[in-house]
Amino acid sequence: MTVNSLQTREVSDLCIGKPATRPLSLSATVGDALLALRSGGSDDRLVIWTADGPAPERKACAGNVCLVDVLCYLCAEQNLDAPMAALGAPASALLPPLTAASLVRRVEPSCSILEALDAILDGAQSLVVPIRAAASPRKFTSGSAAELCWLTREDFVRFFLNSIALFSPVPALSVTDLGLVRPAALAVRPQDPALSALPLIRAALAEQTSVAVVSDDGRLIGEISPFTLAHCDERVAPALAALSAGDLMTFVDCVGAPRKSAMRSIRAQLRAKGLLGMLELLDADVSPPFSPSTSSSESDDESSPSSPPLSNGRGRPRVTRSAWRSGSYSARMGRRSEEAIVCHPWSSLVAVMIQALAHRVSYVWVVDDDDYYLDGIVTFSDILEVFREQLEQTGTCI
């Protein structure tokens, strides 16, 4: 294959093996979305349509939602006192206040990969593409949510990695030489209230990155990752409201944290802050019609305010995963990482691509040495810009 042959490739090539989207009715509530997300499946997102109707081709995709959207909504200022009541709000409330075109774009399977890439680089967070219907394996249909799949930046980076030799010598250059290291703007200190990081978590979800947890002297301690949060459950919302950023990181990521000790600490801090609604959510068996059904597995005498802290705010990044939802994290996602994914300023572009794809992240933190001083972050968006520029320079752009 040559670089010139890239212009003949269609976006359908990226859809092979991709799961169909899971639809969410326009009349669904936040609680409905939560239960659908908790049920698992091959995709951790749901698609929301702008209109219902008998003709699927007339529907427009308003966006997709994941568990992080639900957590952020429940922890919004207007819902902190009554998160259980917030579960009855329309699911459309989970969508960010942006136009649908800026979030999700539909492209046809015959669209060229480069045209689809331009849509991503133009601001689309993801693309929705019709895929082959099970009943018609030889033909694409433009139909309902069950016949569509999502494409993200990861899919495009994987595509270019498969053709990496065509772009030599650029892939061997360092991320610093290529100007890919940007400041890590989304960062908090471990002692900051986790609730103060809520806007950063929303931004990280939109940018497909993460929130760095950084010590006062600039060392990377860990991260609050939307990717990780998306595979937990609604109990993270009370933890967000109660804990510091460092303790939240430990609560979510550290499989070895004592479960009862963590819950006691959260309950004690929720009571101290007067967030009784969050306490109710922590103990509720969330089910339709989304009214509280308290079924605490731990007695009130375990909620002593003298509970030990969940972390000491020191050490290298650790991102081991929680297994609250059905199946372990490693079984569901195929990997378990002991440390945040990092590289050095001198790391090559191809090495960073391989590292990120292997760990299913769309960014890599840049640290300057073994002491983990944070220099910045490399994202898939910037990596894709490099390949688009290379294609333009070789005269293969469309």
Side-chain angles (χ1 to χ4, degrees):
M1 185 175 68
T2 65
V3 174
N4 288 333
S5 67
L6 292 180
Q7 25 181 325
T8 65
R9 301 290 295 274
E10 296 182 348
V11 76
S12 59
D13 294 338
L14 301 185
C15 299
I16 298 174
K18 298 285 287 186
T21 59
R22 293 195 290 159
L24 190 65
S25 169
L26 186 66
S27 60
T29 64
V30 172
D32 293 326
L34 172 60
L35 294 180
L37 290 165
R38 280 198 330 193
S39 68
S42 56
D43 193 359
D44 58 6
R45 293 175 295 175
L46 303 172
V47 60
I48 296 181
W49 301 100
T50 58
D52 286 326
E57 66 275 7
R58 294 181 182 177
K59 293 183 178 181
C61 179
N64 60 74
V65 297
C66 67
L67 189 72
V68 184
D69 296 297
V70 176
L71 297 176
C72 290
Y73 182 74
L74 295 178
C75 290
E77 184 177 359
Q78 69 272 19
N79 297 325
L80 274 176
D81 291 333
M84 292 295 292
L87 293 174
S92 58
L94 299 174
L95 296 174
L98 298 173
T99 62
S102 66
L103 295 175
V104 177
R105 299 194 190 174
R106 175 173 172 150
V107 298
E108 296 304 316
S110 58
C111 172
S112 77
I113 286 180
L114 296 185
E115 288 175 330
L117 174 61
D118 284 340
I120 288 285
L121 295 179
D122 193 37
Q125 291 181 12
S126 55
L127 305 178
V128 62
V129 187
I131 58 177
R132 297 182 191 273
S136 305
R138 295 176 175 267
K139 145 178 173 183
F140 279 98
T141 61
S142 55
S144 66
E147 300 166 334
L148 299 171
C149 75
W150 294 109
L151 289 183
T152 66
R153 296 162 194 172
E154 177 185 339
D155 297 300
F156 289 91
V157 170
R158 195 178 299 278
F159 169 77
F160 285 116
L161 181 62
N162 290 335
S163 309
I164 199 69
L166 302 178
F167 297 91
S168 181
V170 171
L173 299 178
S174 73
V175 289
T176 299
D177 289 340
L178 291 170
L180 295 180
V181 183
R182 65 166 69 178
L186 305 179
V188 295
R189 297 177 301 171
Q191 65 269 29
D192 292 340
L195 205 55
S196 69
L198 202 61
L200 303 184
I201 295 173
R202 288 196 185 98
L205 179 63
E207 296 175 9
Q208 299 175 21
T209 58
S210 188
V211 179
V213 181
V214 183
S215 65
D216 290 336
D217 61 355
R219 298 172 192 256
L220 179 65
I221 294 174
E223 64 180 5
I224 301 174
S225 167
F227 180 83
T228 305
L229 294 177
H231 294 91
C232 296
D233 65 21
E234 69 275 7
R235 283 169 286 186
V236 173
L240 257 167
L243 301 177
S244 68
D247 285 348
L248 176 69
M249 179 184 67
T250 303
F251 179 77
V252 172
D253 293 342
C254 187
V255 174
R259 184 67 176 275
K260 289 187 177 181
S261 174
M263 290 301 189
R264 286 199 303 268
S265 179
I266 292 171
R267 285 191 175 89
Q269 295 184 56
L270 288 174
R271 286 193 177 97
K273 295 180 179 182
L275 297 176
L276 301 184
M278 280 294 175
L279 190 62
E280 182 183 33
L281 177 63
L282 189 65
D283 292 333
D285 178 13
V286 177
S287 58
F290 311 112
S291 59
S293 176
T294 302
S295 58
S296 174
S297 60
E298 300 174 32
S299 61
D300 287 342
D301 60 4
E302 292 178 337
S303 56
S304 168
S306 60
S307 301
L310 300 179
S311 72
N312 59 13
R314 297 193 300 272
R316 288 191 179 182
R318 299 186 64 80
V319 288
T320 51
R321 310 301 185 184
S322 169
W324 291 343
R325 292 173 64 181
S326 58
S328 68
Y329 179 88
S330 57
R332 288 174 57 80
M333 300 308 299
R335 75 169 179 93
R336 178 175 293 179
S337 175
E338 291 294 330
E339 297 185 338
I341 310 305
V342 301
C343 69
H344 297 289
W346 54 86
S347 297
S348 69
L349 172 61
V350 65
V352 170
M353 291 172 65
I354 293 172
Q355 188 178 19
L357 290 171
H359 291 282
R360 294 300 307 274
V361 294
S362 55
Y363 59 92
V364 176
W365 302 111
V366 183
V367 295
D368 65 352
D369 54 32
D370 291 337
D371 289 327
Y372 276 73
Y373 288 106
L374 183 61
D375 273 0
I377 189 172
V378 175
T379 69
F380 275 177
S381 294
D382 293 329
I383 288 174
L384 291 174
E385 290 279 6
V386 169
F387 286 100
R388 192 63 176 105
E389 289 173 4
Q390 289 300 303
L391 290 170
E392 289 176 353
Q393 291 175 11
T394 56
T396 62
C397 61
I398 298 178

